[in-house]
């Protein structure tokens, strides 16, 4: 959904986000919905400005979101509040799962297929009965061989087996009911600390505002993603929304709030190690990816839209390698590097500490503030041979060798650190041109306002000229390994005295073109797998459909009379559609579910899908189309006209996920890796597939460790943005939040003898920091399983640079990873808190040095 579509919601639940403070522009549409009569709900460990403006505030202990959402799922099913006509038709509720499937309810917290020796699941028993279902998630299987591709052709033989009466014991509906049976309101209160009555108000408000004529939405941010179960938290929300029919419809959906202006863009055209542009899987040395044919066979689903993947891969290779990409050499596929393991930030940190990594580039990132276990990261930086940091102001990472925490404490000295650090000044947003892709997938062009001062350069300038110099360096090489650099097309025009690359030329390559004449392709449907088209990112096709026509520059909003999709404002991938899966806004016969919530519908007279948005469907596919299974249909021919979720192999919303998730087909409550309590639901304490690096310097706290009794979470501030450098160096923003602090409840302050603004020491096995106390009722004690659990919180945005300074919260945190995304945990850990300061210890350390 688009941000402005929140204004069409009848109920909005902000959970995993403090939208009013951290996404204030987006919150405008929440308040607009509220003025129209929508119910606004905030579910959060802290009472924030979002809470103050909400109609209902529901406090929960950090890390218990799945217990809360699981309780919502149970309540919706048990009280028959689900949108039956939507969910039965458009989800896999009726699908039958393999006989060998076993649920955590019968295995004390584990799904069938778990191997305790490897800590990984085999997903064979999670499949649709008699099928091997390909994952529609492009980043699946990037690390090991635990889930090889199977016989995807089984999906073309017949539709998955169903029981539309929902009585079969292994249909998804019955599995779902059994799985969440114990997630009662009483259990929700026992696990999360949210009062039972408040929980019921939340779920009943959302259910009441969902259905044919009403829709509800969720908004989340890193309050959901930064957990060892982050992906599964979001999955739990998708189940709620699919059951209630809040998908693909006006005012319905799940809004992932992005904290930076173009995080969505850096995911689409990725800065991620395990994906090629626009969600194509990176080849992997551990899989059958030695040749392009083998790679495409093992990674391409046989049914659904992803069956077109070969067109997108070959077109990408032609864009990257041009004339050097021929059919004879697999279109340059051998030039692509193959993954040999997890190359995300956490294992990269381990590699630095272990001396495996020799150098690193850091562009616009400040890991000594933003990465967890900051002291461990600093030790790793000190073992590099070289480090390149690009930013517009000095960062804690760039001068770690002279001012770091390890230097301050006397653990090392500048003379002992051999890392050669290059600090290169970067241009600010107004000093460069290009696109940004926001949380609505809206790609907007911005022009350069002024020249960057001194030696400051744009990231595009830096990468282009680095690549140009590398191509010159290796131009005469006869080494086979240098062929990829030699083949790389790198012919972007430059302009001005600084030879700045033309950003629109880069965008034109991303849009794509026909190889024979260089003319732009107008849509991704024009891409081919025969080498006749080149495209740097298939989802962005259409952003420059004609030479000189940059749709990202468009600025034509809809008027007050609608339709409200604002199709003339910028470009939204794919094909400028604003609401994904909007075929679901019509019933199986193609009629809007209601006049109040119409979006797209089938026009029988014109035999096409039409409406207020670009249809996210095959425009000419009739609602009554059904596959002819006798012909073994492939691709979109295998999906009926009533299957809105075209990126899934069966066109259905995946309430139960048979393939692609490493930690289970259904969300399950596990305690955070560090928790002050035992798991009240299962004997399995934590996510069994979570990524753990329990090693010297990154020790983990045991459950209920009496040395670290307090739950700890981190958060942002409106005034000090993310890693802090852009705003800590600005006097007018630094003045608003001049110093770091820790929020503690009056009850905990009383127990520990701490007064407001007193100095305190926060500690974990990773490190200690000192910070002033903010004693406030915004945080409150929780009663968990009959005993009091205190939670404390701290903004993570401070450091030693700039005007606004303070302790680095991420010093306290351990390096762990979500099983699917590898994202670190910053929202639910344990610490100790005591009154006082570390000053005396620092003085003693200096004397010792």
């Amino acid at each position: 959904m688009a941000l402005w579509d929140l204004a069409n919601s009848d109920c909005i639940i902000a959970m995993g986000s403090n939208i009013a403070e951290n996404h204030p522009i987006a919150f405008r549409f929440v308040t607009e919905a509220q003025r129209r009569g929508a119910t606004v709900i905030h579910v959060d460990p802290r009472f924030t400005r979002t809470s103050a403006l909400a109609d209902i505030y529901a406090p929960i202990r950090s890390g218990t979101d799945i217990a809360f959402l699981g309780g919502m799922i149970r309540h919706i099913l048990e009280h028959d509040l689900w949108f039956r006509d939507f969910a039965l038709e458009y989800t896999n509720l009726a699908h039958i799962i393999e006989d060998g499937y076993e649920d955590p309810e019968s295995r004390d917290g584990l799904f069938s297929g778990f191997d305790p020796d490897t800590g990984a699941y085999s997903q064979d028993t999670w499949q649709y009965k008699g099928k091997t279902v390909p994952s529609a998630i492009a980043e699946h299987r990037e690390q090991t061989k635990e889930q090889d591709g199977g016989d995807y052709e089984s999906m073309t033989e017949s539709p998955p087996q169903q029981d539309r009466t929902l009585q079969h014991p292994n249909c998804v509906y019955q599995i779902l009911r059994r799985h969440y049976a114990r997630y009662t309101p009483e259990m929700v209160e026992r696990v999360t600390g949210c009062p039972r009555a408040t929980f019921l108000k939340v779920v009943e408000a959302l259910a009441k505002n969902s259905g044919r004529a009403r829709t509800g939405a969720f908004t989340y941010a890193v309050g959901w993603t930064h957990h060892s179960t982050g992906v599964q938290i979001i999955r739990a929300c998708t189940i709620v929304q699919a059951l209630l029919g809040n998908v693909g419809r006006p005012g319905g959906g799940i809004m992932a709030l992005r904290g930076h202006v173009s995080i969505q863009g850096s995911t689409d055209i990725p800065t991620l190690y395990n994906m090629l542009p626009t969600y194509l899987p990176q080849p992997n040395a551990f899989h059958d990816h030695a040749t392009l044919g083998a790679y495409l066979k093992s990674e391409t689903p046989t049914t659904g839209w992803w069956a077109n993947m070969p067109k997108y891969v070959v077109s990408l290779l032609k864009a990257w390698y041009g004339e050097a990409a021929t059919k004879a050499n697999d279109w340059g596929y051998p030039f692509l590097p193959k993954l040999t393991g997890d190359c995300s930030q956490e294992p990269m940190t381990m590699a630095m500490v272990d001396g495996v990594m020799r150098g690193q580039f850091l562009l616009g990132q400040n890991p000594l503030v933003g990465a967890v276990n900051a002291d461990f990261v600093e030790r790793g930086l000190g073992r590099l041979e070289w480090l390149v940091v690009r930013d517009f102001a000095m960062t804690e990472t760039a001068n770690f060798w002279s001012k770091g925490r390890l230097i301050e404490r006397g653990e090392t000295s500048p003379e002992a650190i051999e890392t050669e650090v290059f600090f290169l000044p970067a241009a600010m947003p107004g000093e460069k041109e290009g696109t940004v892709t926001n949380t609505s997938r809206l790609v907007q062009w911005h022009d350069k306002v002024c020249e960057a001062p001194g030696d400051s350069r744009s990231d595009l300038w830096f990468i282009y000229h680095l690549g140009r110099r590398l191509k010159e360096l290796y131009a005469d090489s006869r080494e086979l390994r240098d062929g990829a650099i030699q083949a790389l097309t790198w012919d972007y025009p430059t302009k001005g005295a600084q030879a700045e690359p033309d950003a629109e030329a880069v965008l034109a390559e991303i849009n794509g073109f026909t190889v024979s004449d260089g003319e732009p392709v107008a849509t991704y449907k024009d891409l081919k797998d025969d080498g006749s088209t080149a495209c740097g990112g298939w989802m962005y096709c259409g952003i420059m459909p004609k030479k000189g026509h940059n749709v990202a520059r468009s600025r034509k909003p809809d008027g007050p009379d609608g339709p409200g999709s604002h199709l003339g404002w910028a470009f939204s991938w794919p094909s400028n559609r604003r609401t994904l899966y909007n075929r679901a806004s019509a019933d199986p016969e193609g009629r809007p579910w209601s006049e109040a919530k119409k979006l797209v519908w089938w026009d029988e007279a014109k035999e096409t899908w039409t409406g207020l948005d670009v249809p996210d469907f095959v425009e000419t596919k009739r609602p009554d189309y059904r596959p002819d299974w006798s012909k073994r249909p492939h691709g979109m021919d295998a999906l009926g006209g009533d299957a809105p979720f075209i990126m899934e192999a069966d066109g259905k919303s995946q309430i139960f996920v048979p393939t692609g998730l490493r930690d289970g087909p259904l969300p399950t409550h596990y305690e955070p890796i560090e928790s002050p309590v035992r798991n009240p639901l299962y004997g399995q304490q934590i996510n069994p597939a979570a990524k753990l690096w329990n090693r010297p310097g990154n020790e983990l706290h045991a459950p209920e460790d009496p040395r670290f009794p307090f739950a700890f979470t981190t958060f942002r501030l409106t005034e000090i943005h993310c890693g802090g450098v852009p705003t800590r160096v600005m006097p007018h923003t630094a003045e608003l939040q001049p110093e770091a602090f820790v929020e503690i409840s009056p009850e905990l302050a009383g127990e520990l003898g701490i007064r407001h603004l007193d100095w305190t020491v926060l500690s974990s096995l990773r490190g200690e920091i000192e910070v002033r106390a903010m004693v406030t009722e915004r945080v409150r004690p929780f009663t968990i399983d009959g005993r009091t659990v205190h939670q404390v919180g701290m903004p993570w945005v401070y450091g030693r640079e700039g005007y606004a300074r303070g302790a680095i919260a991420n010093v306290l945190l351990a390096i762990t990873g979500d099983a699917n995304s590898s994202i670190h945990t910053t929202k639910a850990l344990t610490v100790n808190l005591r009154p006082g300061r570390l000053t005396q210890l620092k003085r003693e350390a200096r004397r010792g040095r």
Side-chain angles (χ1 to χ4, degrees):
M1 66 187 303
L3 276 175
W4 58 82
D5 195 30
L6 288 170
N8 297 316
S9 300
D10 300 291
C11 181
I12 300 172
I13 299 180
M15 189 173 177
S17 72
N18 177 10
I19 181 172
E21 296 187 65
N22 296 330
H23 307 273
I25 304 302
F27 193 67
R28 161 198 165 190
F29 301 108
V30 176
T31 58
E32 186 175 336
Q34 194 173 40
R35 285 195 299 269
R36 293 178 178 179
T39 302
V40 175
I41 300 166
H42 191 216
V43 183
D44 199 87
R46 298 187 305 132
F47 188 92
T48 67
R49 290 178 176 88
T50 304
S51 316
L53 294 168
D55 300 294
I56 302 172
Y57 168 62
I60 65 166
R61 175 171 60 97
S62 186
T64 61
D65 303 77
I66 290 177
F68 192 97
L69 293 164
M72 295 182 73
I73 294 168
R74 178 193 177 277
H75 189 85
I76 289 165
L77 293 175
E78 293 302 313
H79 294 271
D80 205 27
L81 299 175
W82 55 293
F83 188 178
R84 181 177 290 267
D85 292 342
F86 182 100
L88 186 58
E89 300 295 337
Y90 292 164
T91 77
N92 63 1
L93 268 182
H95 287 39
I96 297 173
I97 305 304
E98 288 285 0
D99 295 338
Y101 170 76
E102 293 181 87
D103 196 79
E105 293 303 291
S106 61
R107 294 170 57 87
D108 203 20
L110 294 172
F111 292 93
S112 52
F114 185 71
D115 184 341
D117 293 330
T118 63
Y121 280 106
S122 167
Q123 301 172 3
D124 295 342
T125 60
W126 307 354
Q127 300 295 308
Y128 297 157
K129 189 173 179 62
K131 304 286 183 184
T132 300
V133 186
S135 170
I137 303 172
E139 57 185 310
H140 70 297
R141 302 195 299 114
E142 88 277 8
Q143 288 187 68
T144 63
K145 211 168 182 176
E146 76 265 10
Q147 182 63 28
D148 275 336
D151 180 17
Y152 295 162
E153 287 293 329
S154 65
M155 293 296 293
T156 70
E157 297 171 352
S158 61
Q161 296 183 43
Q162 296 187 33
D163 174 17
R164 291 179 61 82
T165 70
L166 305 181
Q167 299 306 306
H168 192 288
N170 253 34
C171 76
V172 170
Y173 174 78
Q174 294 295 343
I175 289 174
L176 197 67
R177 291 193 64 181
R178 291 195 298 270
H179 182 80
Y180 290 110
R182 72 169 72 185
Y183 290 66
T184 62
E186 292 75 19
M187 181 61 80
V188 170
E189 180 173 9
R190 179 184 168 195
V191 175
T192 71
C194 179
R196 174 182 181 276
T198 304
F199 162 76
L200 289 173
K201 284 174 65 178
V202 172
V203 64
E204 287 167 2
L206 180 63
K208 181 177 67 174
N209 287 290
S210 303
R212 284 184 176 269
R214 303 181 76 79
T215 51
F218 279 80
T219 70
Y220 78 89
V222 297
W224 269 4
T225 58
H226 283 197
H227 291 274
S228 58
T229 55
V231 169
Q232 293 286 7
I233 294 173
I234 300 161
R235 279 272 302 122
C237 184
T238 67
I239 295 174
V240 171
Q241 293 295 71
L243 289 173
L244 294 175
N246 290 322
V247 186
R249 304 176 61 205
I254 305 170
M255 174 54 67
L257 298 165
R258 304 302 195 126
H260 300 236
V261 73
S262 198
I263 286 221
Q264 183 66 58
S266 64
T267 310
D268 301 338
I269 310 295
T271 53
L272 303 173
Y273 76 96
N274 59 345
M275 283 191 284
L276 301 173
T278 46
Y279 307 96
L280 303 174
Q282 182 79 29
N284 191 312
F286 290 109
H287 305 308
D288 189 9
H289 291 173
T291 66
L292 177 63
Y295 164 79
L296 292 176
K297 182 178 180 181
S298 65
E299 294 300 321
T300 305
T302 52
T303 57
W305 195 269
W306 271 117
N308 291 296
M309 196 180 88
K311 301 175 184 178
Y312 311 145
V313 172
V314 173
S315 295
L316 175 66
L317 292 171
K318 284 297 293 182
W320 281 1
Y321 302 119
E323 294 180 357
T326 66
K327 187 175 182 179
N329 71 350
D330 266 357
W331 307 113
Y333 176 79
F335 296 139
L336 291 180
K338 311 302 187 287
L339 289 175
T340 57
D342 187 342
C343 299
S344 59
Q345 181 171 332
E346 286 76 14
M348 275 204 303
T349 300
M350 305 296 167
M352 288 192 299
V353 171
D354 293 339
V356 175
M357 182 176 293
R358 296 174 61 186
Q360 189 171 70
F361 289 91
L362 289 172
L363 282 69
Q365 190 172 1
N366 188 16
L368 286 192
V369 169
V372 293
N373 198 343
D375 286 357
F376 194 82
V377 175
E378 189 170 323
R379 291 186 182 95
L381 294 175
R383 297 208 63 190
L384 295 174
E385 293 180 16
W386 55 266
L387 173 68
V388 177
V389 179
R390 297 194 74 254
D391 218 309
F392 83 93
M394 182 56 63
T395 69
E396 287 77 6
T397 302
N399 63 19
F400 83 94
W401 60 275
S402 62
K403 295 183 179 180
R405 277 177 46 87
L406 304 185
I407 302 291
E408 183 183 49
R409 295 204 309 275
E411 291 188 28
T412 187
S413 66
E415 296 76 20
I417 296 174
E418 297 182 357
T419 310
E420 186 174 12
V421 181
F422 302 87
F423 180 75
L424 305 179
M428 296 180 69
E431 298 163 353
K432 54 190 176 183
E433 65 177 1
T435 62
V436 293
T437 308
N438 74 4
T439 191
S440 303
R441 312 182 331 279
L442 197 66
V443 192
Q444 301 176 89
W445 186 269
H446 68 91
D447 290 304
K448 182 165 69 173
V449 178
C450 60
E451 293 293 337
D455 292 330
S456 298
R457 299 288 186 272
S458 70
D459 291 324
L460 179 58
W461 182 95
F462 177 76
I463 294 296
Y464 168 74
H465 286 286
L466 177 63
R468 179 182 58 79
R469 293 187 180 192
L470 287 172
K471 285 185 68 66
E472 292 174 357
L473 181 65
Y474 291 103
D476 299 326
S477 173
R478 296 184 180 181
E479 294 286 348
L480 184 63
R481 65 190 180 193
D482 299 330
I485 292 178
Q486 293 170 334
L488 190 66
T489 59
W490 211 249
D491 51 1
Y492 308 107
T494 61
K495 53 189 177 182
Q498 306 298 344
E500 178 72 20
D502 187 342
E504 282 197 305
V506 178
L507 187 62
E509 181 184 79
I510 292 172
N511 175 88
F513 55 90
T514 53
V515 173
S516 60
D517 56 12
E519 288 297 313
V521 294
T523 170
Y524 57 80
K525 297 174 186 176
D526 295 335
L527 298 178
K528 310 292 184 184
D529 60 2
D530 59 3
S532 63
T533 58
C535 175
W538 71 272
M539 287 179 173
Y540 279 61
C541 282
I543 195 169
M544 292 191 75
K546 302 176 184 177
K547 286 186 176 179
H549 183 200
N550 184 349
V551 182
R553 288 184 177 275
S554 301
R555 295 293 186 271
K556 297 178 182 177
D558 291 345
D561 296 329
S565 49
H566 304 286
L567 294 176
W569 188 282
F571 176 85
S572 183
W573 62 258
S575 293
N576 206 33
R577 63 197 57 155
R578 304 307 165 104
T579 300
L580 295 179
Y581 300 123
N582 56 31
R583 164 63 181 91
S585 68
D587 68 15
E589 288 72 41
R591 303 166 303 202
W593 291 106
S594 67
E595 184 66 20
K597 296 292 179 178
K598 67 179 183 180
L599 187 57
V600 301
W601 54 88
W602 175 254
D603 187 325
E604 183 63 36
K606 297 180 179 180
E607 295 189 315
T608 187
W609 288 93
T610 187
L612 310 179
D613 192 9
V614 177
D616 190 15
F617 205 60
V618 178
E619 287 89 342
T620 57
K621 178 174 282 192
R622 298 180 56 84
D624 57 3
Y625 168 82
R626 296 297 180 271
D628 183 350
W629 294 103
S630 67
K631 296 181 179 179
R632 299 289 293 268
H634 281 66
M636 288 300 292
D637 291 340
L639 301 189
D642 59 348
F645 297 91
I646 61 176
M647 305 305 285
E648 301 295 341
D650 60 350
K652 304 290 186 181
S653 175
Q654 305 287 283
I655 283 181
F656 182 101
V657 176
T659 305
L661 294 177
R662 294 186 186 84
D663 49 358
L666 289 171
T668 304
H669 171 71
Y670 300 112
E671 283 295 313
I673 291 169
E674 294 183 354
S675 174
V677 301
R678 290 282 174 181
N679 190 346
L681 280 167
Y682 309 106
Q684 179 63 39
Q685 173 74 5
I686 66 171
N687 185 345
K691 297 177 180 178
L692 306 179
W693 292 273
N694 195 351
R695 52 172 288 171
N698 192 54
E699 294 84 357
L700 303 176
H701 302 164
E704 297 183 305
D705 191 326
R707 299 172 297 171
F708 307 103
F710 307 122
F712 179 71
T713 191
T714 64
F715 53 89
R716 309 187 197 196
L717 299 169
T718 307
E719 300 83 358
I720 308 294
H721 178 72
C722 288
V725 169
T727 38
R728 279 192 272 122
V729 300
M730 301 297 180
H732 55 287
T733 52
E735 183 179 16
L736 298 173
Q737 292 282 6
E739 187 176 350
F741 55 89
V742 58
E743 290 197 21
I744 64 175
S745 67
E747 291 85 349
L748 180 58
E751 289 183 21
L752 299 179
I754 297 172
R755 297 173 301 174
H756 185 60
L757 297 183
D758 277 357
W759 283 100
T760 67
V761 174
L762 285 161
S763 60
S764 73
L765 288 177
R766 280 78 58 179
E768 290 187 316
I769 58 174
E770 63 178 17
V771 65
R772 291 187 185 274
M774 176 185 286
V775 181
T776 171
E777 295 180 355
R778 298 195 303 187
V779 292
R780 58 195 67 184
F782 291 99
T783 300
I784 305 298
D785 210 12
R787 67 185 180 88
T788 298
V789 172
H790 291 285
Q791 179 151 325
V792 299
M794 182 179 169
W796 64 272
V797 297
Y798 289 94
R800 63 178 174 273
E801 293 298 322
Y803 296 103
R805 300 177 181 178
I808 298 171
N810 281 335
V811 166
L812 303 169
L813 277 53
I815 299 174
T816 61
D818 174 272
N820 302 285
S821 67
S822 296
I823 196 69
H824 51 211
T825 296
T826 69
K827 300 301 177 184
L829 300 101
T830 57
V831 297
N832 193 18
L833 175 71
R834 67 179 188 269
R837 301 195 67 177
L838 292 172
T839 307
Q840 186 61 36
L841 295 177
K842 290 180 183 177
R843 289 173 180 165
E844 292 173 0
R846 290 194 186 99
R847 290 193 194 102
R849 186 176 68 190

